Amino acid sequence: MPKASPLAIATRTVVNYCKDATSYYAEYQSDVSAIAKAQSSADDELGNKSSTIAQLEKAKEETRTTYLGYFHKNEKRSLPEAVERLREEIEKVEEKEEVSEEEKEEIERANEAVKKAEELIKEGAKLAEDEE
C-alpha cells in the first residue's frame, strides 16, 4: 500500500476534526435539552433536582469548552490551523507542473473538507458569541 501523501494526511486531519467537533456539538445540544427537561420536571423523590441540574450544567459547560476549543488557534486540535495547513498542501500540489488524476481527486476532497470546516468554524463562532 502506498504511503499517504501530505495532502491526504492534512485532509484526513481536517475531516476528523470536523467529525469530532460535530459530535461534541450534538452532545452539547443533548445537554441543553436534558437541562431544560430537568428544569421543567417536578422535584424527584429524593428532592435533588437542583443537584441534578447543577451536574448537567457542569457537563454542558465542559462539552461547550471542548467544542469551542476546536475553533481556537494554538489549541491541540485547532480546526483553523488544520485548515491553514491543508490549504498550504493544496497549493503545493496545484503548483506542480503535472498534476495526476489521483492528485486532482485529492484536491477535490481537500477542498470539500475546507468548505465543511469553514462552515463549522462559523457555527462555532456563532455559539461563542451567543453564549457570551
Side-chain angles (χ1 to χ4, degrees):
M1 185 169 176
K3 184 178 172 184
S5 70
L7 178 58
I9 293 169
T11 301
R12 202 170 320 124
T13 299
V14 169
V15 168
N16 287 340
Y17 285 6
C18 287
K19 285 180 184 177
D20 290 349
T22 300
S23 175
Y24 278 108
Y25 186 72
E27 185 177 336
Y28 172 80
Q29 293 292 21
S30 175
D31 292 344
V32 169
S33 296
I35 291 167
K37 183 178 177 182
Q39 288 173 334
S40 67
S41 70
D43 276 336
D44 59 14
E45 293 174 10
L46 301 175
N48 62 357
K49 177 180 174 179
S50 61
S51 174
T52 300
I53 291 172
Q55 289 174 340
L56 291 170
E57 285 284 351
K58 182 179 178 189
K60 180 189 87 165
E61 281 308 306
E62 289 173 359
T63 302
R64 179 182 175 274
T65 299
T66 302
Y67 171 71
L68 292 178
Y70 279 89
F71 307 106
H72 296 289
K73 288 196 170 210
N74 302 321
E75 289 289 325
K76 183 177 179 183
R77 297 181 136 212
S78 170
L79 190 53
E81 288 180 4
V83 168
E84 202 173 291
R85 284 191 302 274
L86 179 54
R87 283 191 175 120
E88 290 169 5
E89 292 301 328
I90 292 170
E91 281 181 35
K92 286 178 188 177
V93 174
E94 289 177 334
E95 288 174 354
K96 290 170 60 175
E97 285 187 30
E98 288 189 35
V99 178
S100 71
E101 210 45 50
E102 184 178 323
E103 289 171 321
K104 288 177 185 177
E105 290 173 8
E106 280 187 21
I107 290 171
E108 189 175 318
R109 284 191 295 273
N111 283 324
E112 289 172 15
V114 167
K115 183 178 178 184
K116 172 74 173 164
E118 288 174 339
E119 291 171 7
L120 280 174
I121 291 168
K122 285 179 188 175
E123 289 175 20
K126 186 176 183 322
L127 177 64
E129 274 181 20
D130 291 348
E131 297 286 323
E132 288 180 355

